[in-house]
Amino acid sequence: MDFQQSELVTQVAQTARDFANQYIKPHVMEWDESQEFPIHIMKELGNLGMMGVLVPEQYGGAGLGYFEYNAIIQEIAKVCGSIGLSVAAHNSLCTGHIMYFGSEEQKQRYLPKLAKAEWIGAWGLTEPNTGSDAGNMKTTAVRDGDHWVINGTKNWITHGKSGDVAVVMCRTGEPRESGNSTAFIVERGTPGFSAGKKENKLGMRASETAEMIFENCRIPDSQRLGEVGDGFRQAMKILDGGRISIAALSAGIAKGAYEAALQYSKERYQFDQPIANFQGISFKLADMATEIMAADLLIAQACDLKNRGEKMTKESAMAKYLASEVAVKVANDAVQIFGGYGYTKDFPVEKHYRDAKLCTIGEGTSEIQKLVISREVLKG
């Protein structure tokens, strides 16, 4: 694998960095406190091609690869994990699912709108009582002639309220039966499709998380993604790529916390010298820098495999697992370096600390990542 960052990746990263510092940074705490999901920021990112990073140009996307995608997510997450999460979910999940498994007609209809953020995307797998246990989902789709009738509730859905279109996994077979789920595209405004409770979260508060409720929601068979019974297999492939984006999100949050702590340690004086001179602080910084680099290398490996179209289930799970745990540890150490100031909302590490925890939960918990990794390792 070539470790030399291409000029294109450098340029894309700089564009994302400039945008985040100019348009996101001034409002981070305002959006966090009010839990406002700034849709206008999503639209502006769409104009820059950052909401359809991986979408081919023929469908209105940027047509870039995973190294560029990783750079964009990281630069935004350094400033605000919430916006980074929304960009990641929109690109990897809803848009990605239609891009990889949609028919030509579906791609032509939805990808241009999603790539430009004319429409915001949501993706529904998780339910109130089935998180990792997706084979036992309660949301069903029953065939009725040339239509399907959907009933059930999805929760923890990014953009569950504001999303204009959602890809929804529904059970079309018996619980725990092999091949028992199918994916469908459901547009906002479809009768029987509504938003439920919006979650009041610890972190990532400017990224909307809400329920999606389906009550006799009737959609034509043309809204089905792929074959009947293929939904779970599709979802697992989408999550393979999605784990790269959550790893990138984690690394960005970790870098934001680390860079703030590094700067503060040089400026904060105690006993007539900067606290960076003290071994207790400098060793923390050394650990933070090392762990972030290790996460970056795992992410790069997963990106390389994904770009080449090779299997990367183990590698993406490793990247997501390590990067998310590193984000939590680095953010924790950053708060410690800031001391009492780190516990206040006047400094950025407090928010990084709250945002980081979600990375060990979303798109598969750390425990699920270890399950995936161990299964892949034991196959060999």
Side-chain angles (χ1 to χ4, degrees):
M1 189 175 73
D2 185 3
F3 289 94
Q4 184 66 39
Q5 184 167 290
S6 73
E7 185 177 344
L8 179 58
V9 172
T10 301
Q11 291 173 349
V12 166
Q14 186 63 55
T15 301
R17 186 181 310 126
D18 291 344
F19 181 90
N21 285 323
Q22 184 173 352
Y23 297 105
I24 299 174
K25 191 173 183 177
H27 307 287
V28 166
M29 292 313 298
E30 169 195 338
W31 295 334
D32 183 77
E33 293 283 343
S34 66
Q35 300 192 64
E36 176 189 350
F37 173 46
I39 294 179
H40 68 283
I41 289 293
M42 301 293 112
K43 306 284 187 185
E44 290 172 27
L45 285 165
N47 290 334
L48 291 174
M50 295 184 186
M51 297 296 275
V53 182
L54 304 165
V55 175
E57 292 181 32
Q58 71 188 87
Y59 301 114
L64 300 175
Y66 269 79
F67 285 110
E68 291 82 11
Y69 181 43
N70 171 45
I72 288 167
I73 298 296
Q74 287 208 31
E75 290 298 338
I76 294 172
K78 281 183 190 178
V79 173
C80 182
S82 296
I83 307 303
L85 172 61
S86 279
V87 172
H90 176 93
N91 274 281
S92 288
L93 300 180
C94 180
T95 305
H97 202 135
I98 295 171
M99 181 175 72
Y100 287 117
F101 297 107
S103 66
E104 185 59 32
E105 184 180 348
Q106 289 167 339
K107 291 177 185 178
Q108 293 283 359
R109 174 169 173 75
Y110 294 107
L111 291 182
K113 289 183 172 69
L114 288 164
K116 299 299 183 186
E118 181 182 335
W119 281 9
I120 302 297
W123 192 76
L125 176 64
T126 306
E127 298 182 1
N129 294 309
T130 56
S132 303
D133 184 16
N136 196 32
M137 69 174 71
K138 300 296 187 288
T139 299
T140 59
V142 177
R143 189 152 198 168
D144 182 17
D146 291 332
H147 287 73
W148 294 83
V149 180
I150 303 175
N151 282 285
T153 300
K154 298 291 183 179
N155 72 338
W156 311 119
I157 308 304
T158 304
H159 313 147
K161 185 176 181 180
S162 296
D164 300 285
V165 61
V167 171
V168 185
M169 264 56 66
C170 302
R171 183 163 56 78
T172 49
E174 294 302 313
R176 305 201 185 286
E177 184 179 75
S178 178
N180 71 347
S181 66
T182 305
F184 298 90
I185 305 171
V186 187
E187 295 180 19
R188 186 71 62 183
T190 303
F193 175 26
S194 62
K197 176 188 175 186
K198 178 182 175 181
E199 302 297 340
N200 184 8
K201 300 175 294 182
L202 169 71
M204 303 289 196
R205 290 165 62 83
S207 178
E208 177 188 281
T209 304
E211 290 179 322
M212 295 193 302
I213 300 170
F214 301 90
E215 299 172 296
N216 294 319
C217 179
R218 188 178 179 86
I219 59 171
D221 186 54
S222 59
Q223 296 300 96
R224 172 170 48 85
L225 275 161
E227 300 300 318
V228 174
D230 207 25
F232 186 74
R233 183 187 69 84
Q234 293 176 9
M236 292 305 100
K237 289 193 173 181
I238 293 302
L239 287 172
D240 273 354
R243 284 168 184 150
I244 294 177
S245 66
I246 300 302
L249 176 68
S250 303
I253 292 170
K255 288 176 182 178
Y258 165 72
E259 289 172 8
L262 179 64
Q263 185 65 29
Y264 181 80
S265 72
K266 295 174 180 177
E267 297 171 350
R268 171 69 169 173
Y269 271 65
Q270 292 287 276
F271 304 101
D272 303 318
Q273 58 185 308
I275 61 172
N277 288 355
F278 300 119
Q279 192 176 80
I281 301 299
S282 64
F283 278 17
K284 277 191 192 308
L285 293 168
D287 284 339
M288 294 157 85
T290 302
E291 289 159 358
I292 288 170
M293 182 170 285
D296 261 342
L297 290 171
L298 279 178
I299 295 168
Q301 178 181 233
C303 287
D304 182 54
L305 290 170
K306 183 68 174 173
N307 279 346
R308 290 193 274 121
E310 296 187 18
K311 188 175 188 298
M312 33 66 79
T313 299
K314 177 181 71 176
E315 290 78 7
S316 66
M318 285 178 167
K320 196 273 187 184
Y321 169 51
L322 183 71
S324 63
E325 294 292 337
V326 164
V328 171
K329 184 178 183 300
V330 167
N332 180 66
D333 284 345
V335 171
Q336 197 70 18
I337 288 172
F338 270 80
Y341 291 112
Y343 203 65
T344 72
K345 294 182 183 293
D346 296 328
F347 292 86
V349 292
E350 177 269 347
K351 184 175 182 297
H352 289 309
Y353 182 72
R354 288 186 289 110
D355 287 349
K357 187 57 195 170
L358 186 276
C359 298
T360 68
I361 299 170
E363 293 197 33
T365 62
S366 290
E367 289 73 23
I368 288 295
Q369 303 312 314
K370 287 193 273 190
L371 182 64
V372 171
I373 295 164
S374 63
R375 282 177 176 171
E376 292 295 316
V377 167
L378 290 168
K379 282 180 184 177

